[in-house]
Amino acid sequence: SAAAEAAAEASAASAVSRTPEQAAAAAWAWWRSIGSPTRVLAPMVNQSELAFRLLARRHGAQLCYTPMLHAANFASDEVYRQDNFDPHPSDRPLVVQFCGDVPATLLAAARHVEARCDAVEINCGCPQGIARRGHYGAFLLDEPDLIVSMVSLLAS
């Protein structure tokens, strides 16, 4: 929505120089701009594709997440994007979740969806062995400086 875009632009423009109180106020403003959802469908491996999200919305979900998408594949492979991201006007607000560990690659992936979602999230919670091998998910928590660099670049 236009309100969500305006809130996101204002948030990004002041991300570097704002106080924690200003950052919190911007985050709450964004949350209100997407309707202050209380029923959220979290990302689920092999379950959060469009058909399931639309079904969940029919049963009350107000905010949905995509399944985890690999930022490197998404940034560089048109076929991967077409196979794994199918936006729909009824599927908003929507958060796209990426996994990765290279800030510039995450940004490149996010650029492909920025006009078709309401937020981008970096997966920092996946505990599976594949996340360890791929250096993403919960295994980034041991590297807070890397997480800060990814978030800072996406917010700028």
Side-chain angles (χ1 to χ4, degrees):
S1 74
E5 288 178 30
E9 287 176 18
S11 173
S14 64
V16 176
S17 62
R18 62 184 169 200
T19 67
E21 293 80 13
Q22 291 168 324
W28 281 113
W30 174 80
W31 191 253
R32 285 188 296 277
S33 78
I34 63 166
S36 303
T38 57
R39 293 183 300 281
V40 179
L41 179 69
M44 297 179 291
V45 175
N46 297 322
Q47 297 298 319
S48 300
E49 285 79 10
L50 177 62
F52 185 74
R53 294 192 309 265
L54 293 177
L55 178 65
R57 288 180 187 282
R58 188 177 312 153
H59 291 280
Q62 299 167 312
L63 170 65
C64 293
Y65 283 68
T66 66
M68 178 185 73
L69 303 171
H70 291 266
N73 296 342
F74 202 90
S76 64
D77 186 344
E78 177 67 27
V79 173
Y80 180 86
R81 286 193 297 274
Q82 290 176 0
D83 287 348
N84 292 281
F85 183 69
D86 48 351
H88 189 278
S90 300
D91 191 26
R92 300 295 287 273
L94 178 67
V95 178
V96 176
Q97 185 190 70
F98 288 113
C99 68
D101 64 348
V102 179
T105 301
L106 283 162
L107 180 60
R111 293 272 188 230
H112 286 287
V113 298
E114 66 184 336
R116 300 180 293 169
C117 69
D118 299 282
V120 169
E121 181 192 72
I122 301 168
N123 182 320
C124 290
C126 182
Q128 297 179 356
I130 194 168
R132 179 188 308 275
R133 290 187 301 277
H135 194 244
Y136 58 82
F139 303 97
L140 296 177
L141 296 176
D142 291 332
E143 301 179 55
D145 292 339
L146 176 58
I147 294 171
V148 167
S149 70
M150 293 188 299
V151 171
S152 296
L153 183 61
L154 289 174
S156 66

